[in-house]
């Protein structure tokens, strides 16, 4: 009898975590590595948020809390949803977890039965399909159309839904592409979902505050109120507030689902860090003016990276609407050989050779369900991004026919 669970064989380690760890190991060996694999802002948590965490420690707020969040944070989240999204939730409809990933995990663990299907647009965040598999479900992948900015069509969503469909996972702006759905594009998808009353919607809004060029962010239950009773609106403080290590994610949804998620969390991690929760209260209730400043910074970096990558032979890079990623194509590089003698048979081989020969760590597209692409996180200093583009261009210029 095997020792490890058979369920474990259904999932794989996170590729984004793996490439970031490899980059750290190579840097520790003395290699000059530029790591653009992690989705993590390079600037520090705002001072007022750090001060709130310090104040919580000094006030002795270091004990266990309610399993899924302190009342003050739940109320701050309710206020945020009302203020920014036009969604009315009571504190009993709010779940706070140890990062956004746990929110999704709890919801899927609480609802999936063997054979249940979950529709996931591709390219997708690497963890979506594997969490579904851990819950005994089956991911149903719907490829976004490159000419539509990697977004899926209503027709494709309709075709993917079956009597077994339990959830539709929606992420805009997207990790890994940065693609954002307009209000009309999202309304076309919610019109499909309204015809399928047994399908629930999981909206991952983590990059809500990172949009460019006047793009209007909207979330499904906001666009179609008829979906409110079967939508879990997920978010967190990690990206917009530069609080990745604080590990606070949250969601609003129907009480029956929130109660089930609390049961899962109560038997796993229990409460998120008490100190982080108080810092998150300040993040949501405190000054928000820095968000626009950060967006301007990320837009400048986006434009720098898009221009730099489009100058590389064999690479084409679309301009995303939000987040801090680009998802360039390497279709014209496949079949060539690198200067170091590596055969570029696919996007993973491209990324591996790029890391080995030029010291630039990025994540290959197959990890996100769509090849031949790779993901660049431009949440790094301008000079770092500029140097990365120089190295990527040099690598591409060295590719030749084998």
């Amino acid at each position: 009898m095997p020792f490890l669970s058979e369920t474990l064989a259904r999932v794989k380690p996170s590729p984004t975590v793996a490439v970031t760890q490899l980059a750290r190991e190579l840097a520790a060996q003395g290699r000059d590595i530029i790591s653009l694999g992690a989705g993590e802002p390079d600037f520090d948590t705002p001072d007022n948020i750090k001060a709130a965490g310090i104040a919580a420690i000094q006030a002795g707020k270091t004990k266990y809390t309610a399993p899924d969040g302190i009342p003050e944070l739940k109320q701050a989240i309710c206020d945020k949803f009302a203020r920014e999204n036009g969604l009315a939730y009571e504190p009993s409809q709010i779940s706070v977890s140890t990062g956004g990933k746990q929110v999704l995990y709890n919801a899927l663990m609480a609802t999936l039965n063997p054979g249940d299907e979950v529709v996931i647009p591709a390219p997708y965040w690497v963890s979506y399909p594997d969490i579904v598999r851990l819950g005994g479900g089956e991911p149903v992948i719907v490829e976004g159309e490159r000419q539509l900015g990697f977004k899926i069509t209503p027709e494709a969503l309709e075709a993917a839904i079956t009597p077994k469909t339990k959830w539709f996972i929606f992420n805009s702006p997207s990790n890994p592409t940065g693609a954002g759905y307009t209000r009309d594009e999202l309304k076309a998808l919610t019109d499909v979902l309204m015809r399928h009353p047994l399908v629930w919607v999981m909206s991952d809004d983590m990059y809500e505050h990172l949009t460019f060029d006047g793009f209007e962010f909207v979330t499904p239950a906001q666009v179609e109120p008829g979906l409110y009773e079967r939508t879990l609106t997920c978010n967190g403080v990690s990206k917009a507030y530069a609080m990745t290590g604080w590990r606070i994610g949250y969601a609003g949804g129907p009480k029956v689902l929130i109660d089930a998620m609390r049961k899962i969390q109560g038997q796993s991690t229990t409460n998120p860090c008490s100190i982080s929760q108080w810092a998150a209260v300040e993040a949501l209730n405190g000054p928000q003016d820095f968000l626009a400043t950060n967006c301007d910074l990320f837009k400048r970096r986006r434009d720098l990276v898009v221009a730099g990558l489009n100058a590389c032979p064999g690479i084409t890079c679309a301009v995303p609407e939000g987040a801090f990623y680009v998802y360039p194509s390497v279709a014209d590089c496949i079949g060539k050989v690198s200067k170091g003698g590596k055969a570029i048979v696919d996007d993973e081989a491209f990324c591996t050779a790029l890391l080995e020969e030029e010291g630039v760590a990025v994540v290959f597209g197959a990890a996100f369900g769509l090849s031949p692409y790779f993901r660049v996180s431009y949440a790094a200093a301008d000079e770092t991004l500029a140097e990365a583009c120089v190295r990527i261009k040099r690598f591409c210029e060295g590719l030749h026919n084998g």
Side-chain angles (χ1 to χ4, degrees), residues 318-366:
V319 180
E321 291 85 3
F324 40 64
Y325 310 105
V326 291
Y327 201 64
S329 168
V330 292
D332 292 339
C333 298
I334 305 303
K336 296 187 177 182
V337 178
S338 73
K339 189 179 293 185
K342 301 292 185 180
I344 309 302
V345 297
D346 54 24
D347 48 49
E348 183 173 5
F350 177 94
C351 294
T352 300
L354 177 64
L355 177 57
E356 292 177 353
E357 297 180 23
E358 289 289 351
V360 178
V362 294
V363 186
F364 59 94

Side-chain angles (χ1 to χ4, degrees), residues 211-271:
T211 61
F212 316 121
D213 305 320
F215 179 84
E216 178 199 8
F217 171 84
V218 285
T219 193
Q222 176 185 14
V223 169
E224 177 47 76
L227 290 174
Y228 176 88
E229 292 295 341
R230 51 187 171 105
T231 296
L232 185 69
T233 304
C234 309
N235 212 315
V237 297
S238 294
K239 311 298 185 179
Y241 297 93
M243 295 177 67
T244 51
W246 296 79
R247 307 310 300 133
I248 294 293
Y250 60 83
K255 188 175 183 301
V256 63
L257 175 59
I258 298 299
D259 289 347
M261 292 166 62
R262 182 185 308 112
K263 185 181 295 186
I264 295 289
Q265 190 158 307
Q267 294 293 0
S268 54
T269 60
T270 315
N271 65 274

Side-chain angles (χ1 to χ4, degrees), residues 128-142:
Y128 293 149
D130 287 310
I131 295 176
V132 169
R133 293 186 184 103
L134 277 172
E138 298 294 335
V140 175
I141 307 304
V142 181

Side-chain angles (χ1 to χ4, degrees), residues 15-269:
T16 54
V17 172
V19 73
T20 302
Q21 182 58 31
L22 177 58
R24 290 194 187 104
E25 292 171 0
L26 291 173
Q29 295 169 15
R31 289 284 307 277
D32 178 16
I33 301 296
I34 296 176
S35 182
L36 304 178
E40 182 172 49
D42 62 310
F43 38 83
D44 201 7
T45 304
D47 288 341
N48 63 305
I49 299 173
K50 291 192 291 184
I54 293 169
I57 295 172
Q58 293 173 334
K61 296 176 179 178
T62 56
K63 308 297 184 183
Y64 291 131
T65 74
D68 60 349
I70 58 176
E72 293 84 352
L73 180 52
K74 288 193 172 190
Q75 186 59 56
I77 293 166
C78 289
D79 294 343
K80 177 262 184 256
F81 278 132
R83 179 178 69 245
E84 298 182 347
N85 309 114
L87 296 174
Y89 290 113
E90 297 295 327
S92 61
Q93 294 177 274
I94 300 297
S95 177
V96 183
S97 294
T98 307
K101 184 180 290 188
Q102 191 183 19
V103 171
L104 310 180
Y105 182 91
N106 288 348
L108 292 171
M109 292 305 109
T111 57
L112 290 179
N113 294 308
D116 284 344
E117 295 176 351
V118 178
V119 176
I120 304 172
Y124 46 69
W125 180 45
V126 294
S127 292
Y128 293 149
D130 287 310
I131 295 176
V132 169
R133 293 186 184 103
L134 277 172
E138 298 294 335
V140 175
I141 307 304
V142 181
E143 285 193 7
E145 298 191 16
R146 171 65 179 80
Q147 62 271 29
L148 297 178
F150 303 106
K151 292 178 273 192
I152 67 168
T153 63
E155 294 77 15
L157 175 59
E158 183 79 61
I161 294 174
T162 76
K164 295 182 179 180
T165 305
K166 178 69 70 76
W167 285 97
F168 168 58
I169 297 182
F170 179 74
N171 178 215
S172 171
S174 160
N175 175 5
T177 66
Y181 287 73
T182 67
R183 179 180 290 269
D184 288 344
E185 289 168 338
L186 181 51
K187 183 61 167 63
L189 297 182
T190 60
D191 285 348
V192 173
L193 294 164
M194 287 297 291
R195 296 195 291 270
H196 297 275
L198 298 183
V199 178
W200 283 56
V201 182
M202 180 179 291
S203 185
D204 182 350
D205 298 350
M206 189 62 73
Y207 298 94
E208 168 185 7
H209 291 296
L210 297 172
T211 61
F212 316 121
D213 305 320
F215 179 84
E216 178 199 8
F217 171 84
V218 285
T219 193
Q222 176 185 14
V223 169
E224 177 47 76
L227 290 174
Y228 176 88
E229 292 295 341
R230 51 187 171 105
T231 296
L232 185 69
T233 304
C234 309
N235 212 315
V237 297
S238 294
K239 311 298 185 179
Y241 297 93
M243 295 177 67
T244 51
W246 296 79
R247 307 310 300 133
I248 294 293
Y250 60 83
K255 188 175 183 301
V256 63
L257 175 59
I258 298 299
D259 289 347
M261 292 166 62
R262 182 185 308 112
K263 185 181 295 186
I264 295 289
Q265 190 158 307
Q267 294 293 0
S268 54
T269 60

Side-chain angles (χ1 to χ4, degrees), residues 375-394:
R375 189 192 77 172
V376 173
S377 168
Y378 54 84
D382 290 37
E383 56 270 24
T384 300
L385 296 171
E387 173 62 19
C389 289
V390 168
R391 296 187 189 187
I392 295 170
K393 184 179 181 183
R394 186 166 61 215

